[in-house]
Amino acid sequence: MSQENARMSTYAPRKKKACLNASHLGMTLFDGVGEGQIKHVINNEVKGILECLNSLKGFNGEVAEILVNKRIDKKLFKPIENDATNPEPGTLVTKEICQTSKEFYLASQKVFQGTATPTKYILIHNDTEISLEQFYELTYSQCYNYFGKNGSVRVPALVQYAHKLAFLAGQTLKESPSEKLKGQLFFI
């Protein structure tokens, strides 16, 4: 794929960061959703999350839902004369290999060995005033918010923390938690 045929841009970490008021915005990142499960997530899980959030007192209903998929077969290359190299961190692809206007690929970290595999994102629900451009920036900056690594990770920090928590729970919890702990953040 040549640079003329695809919109590729690179985001550098910015000193100015947009502030989002969490009391007015609900954002869910779904990870590990296969292509065959997308309709189920949209029709059932997103619907349930929206109903739950809208039932909260004082919540104004601005919600964004994003699918995150690391297991893809797309590779990105940066052309250099008669050769190619891995793209720079922050390389964003929004056309050519994307099936919809709300789908994008982001290579968020520097790859020293092998070939860079971007992460695929699909914005499946958005009733916020946040533009797609702001979602690109927000997603990329979240890749730098993981405290376990100096630099960026492949997915937003929230997704990385969820993986870590799920692994920890799977390794340590040998039985279902007590009914008394339902609704509590006992796993932290």
Side-chain angles (χ1 to χ4, degrees):
M1 170 174 47
S2 68
Q3 282 185 311
E4 296 84 34
N5 294 336
R7 177 177 174 232
M8 294 180 74
S9 57
T10 303
Y11 284 114
R14 298 181 181 196
K15 291 181 182 175
K16 280 183 157 181
K17 300 224 177 179
C19 292
L20 300 174
N21 187 339
S23 66
H24 298 289
L25 174 68
M27 184 175 289
T28 307
L29 299 170
F30 293 92
D31 185 36
V33 177
E35 294 293 325
Q37 299 171 312
I38 293 174
K39 285 185 181 179
H40 171 79
V41 169
I42 293 170
N43 295 334
N44 297 302
E45 294 186 36
V46 170
K47 183 180 174 186
I49 290 170
L50 291 174
E51 288 172 1
C52 179
L53 288 174
N54 288 327
S55 72
L56 296 174
K57 190 175 187 178
F59 187 78
N60 71 356
E62 291 186 16
V63 180
E65 315 277 346
I66 302 173
L67 294 177
V68 181
N69 194 345
K70 300 182 306 280
R71 296 181 181 166
I72 59 171
D73 58 357
K74 307 282 191 268
K75 304 289 183 191
L76 297 182
F77 299 96
K78 178 181 174 184
I80 298 178
E81 294 181 22
N82 294 331
D83 200 10
T85 184
N86 282 321
E88 296 297 319
T91 299
L92 173 73
V93 177
T94 59
K95 294 188 179 177
E96 294 299 316
I97 60 175
C98 300
Q99 296 174 351
T100 70
S101 63
K102 295 186 178 187
E103 179 178 308
F104 62 97
Y105 292 82
L106 177 64
S108 60
Q109 61 187 152
K110 181 86 173 154
V111 176
F112 296 100
Q113 287 185 324
T115 306
T117 303
T119 302
K120 177 181 177 180
Y121 298 89
I122 304 173
L123 183 61
I124 57 172
H125 178 85
N126 182 21
D127 56 15
T128 70
E129 295 180 12
I130 299 175
S131 68
L132 276 173
E133 195 72 26
Q134 290 172 311
F135 275 111
Y136 304 152
E137 292 183 36
L138 178 64
T139 304
Y140 182 55
S141 25
Q142 277 294 308
C143 293
Y144 281 88
N145 286 344
Y146 184 67
F147 291 108
K149 184 176 180 196
N150 186 12
S152 66
V153 291
R154 189 168 170 202
V155 294
L158 299 171
V159 174
Q160 193 72 19
Y161 287 129
H163 280 288
K164 192 169 192 168
L165 179 61
F167 178 79
L168 178 65
Q171 295 296 310
T172 57
L173 299 176
K174 302 299 179 194
E175 57 188 51
S176 296
S178 168
E179 286 292 317
K180 294 177 185 176
L181 295 176
K182 265 194 173 168
Q184 304 295 317
L185 298 175
F186 67 91
F187 47 81
I188 293 183

